[in-house]
Amino acid sequence: MKALTEQDIRTSFVNCSKGEAKRLPLPRDFEDLPWEDLDFLGWRDLSAPGRSYIVTEHDGRPSGITLRFPSQQRGFLHRSMCSLCLTTHPGSGVSLMTARKAGPAGREGNSVGLYMCTDLACSLYVRGKKAVAAGARFQESLTVEEQIARTSANLSAFVAKLFS
């Protein structure tokens, strides 16, 4: 992913008001992000449980998305799979993330959802730069580059639903 400035991020949001985008917190480690290892920028809002953000490229420009997810905890024995990177996590490592649609549909309350890694570190899991809390990723026959392409395609399909 191309490195973004704070202004790039704040002006990229498509499903919230300009005021909301101006007030949202950036990732704590913003200055030290490994941009070359990221297919998208994702972070949780530590001041608002159940709220996360993603910035990805859509139609050649950055598009920011506000997400909500339930804060309920699942049992440790329960495992779920992320629909973006296909990483399985125990407990609450995967959550249904919902995003308001862009434009008039979003103002009417319409939204779309997808099961995602709660920490939004899909890019790092796919590259083997971050390990799953308990266990490991499934062994895949795809190369890392093919897994990265699949993750990006899954995210692009989700983002496209925000505009349809």
Side-chain angles (χ1 to χ4, degrees), residues 138-155:
F138 288 113
Q139 186 68 24
E140 292 197 55
S141 59
L142 298 178
T143 66
V144 171
E145 290 76 23
E146 290 170 326
Q147 292 176 52
I148 291 168
R150 179 187 60 207
T151 300
S152 295
N154 290 342
L155 181 58

Side-chain angles (χ1 to χ4, degrees), residues 21-37:
K22 189 176 182 179
R23 291 186 302 272
L24 64 84
L26 292 179
R28 286 188 299 167
D29 58 349
F30 181 69
E31 299 299 324
D32 302 320
L33 288 171
W35 292 102
E36 64 280 353
D37 291 328

Side-chain angles (χ1 to χ4, degrees), residues 6 15 26 32 39-40 50 60 62 74 76 88 109 117 119 130 135 147 150 155-156:
E6 178 179 348
N15 67 341
L26 292 179
D32 302 320
D39 304 307
F40 63 90
R74 292 185 177 157
F76 187 74
T88 59
C117 295
D119 63 3
K130 186 171 183 178
Q147 292 176 52
R150 179 187 60 207
L155 181 58
S156 292

Side-chain angles (χ1 to χ4, degrees), residues 24-29 41-54 67 69-73 92-95 97 117-121:
L24 64 84
L26 292 179
R28 286 188 299 167
D29 58 349
L41 175 60
W43 72 100
R44 290 180 66 173
D45 187 338
L46 300 177
S47 63
R51 186 170 286 187
S52 293
Y53 310 98
I54 287 180
L67 300 163
F69 63 96
S71 58
Q72 67 188 22
Q73 298 289 327
S92 60
V94 171
S95 293
M97 304 270 187
C117 295
T118 306
D119 63 3
L120 299 171

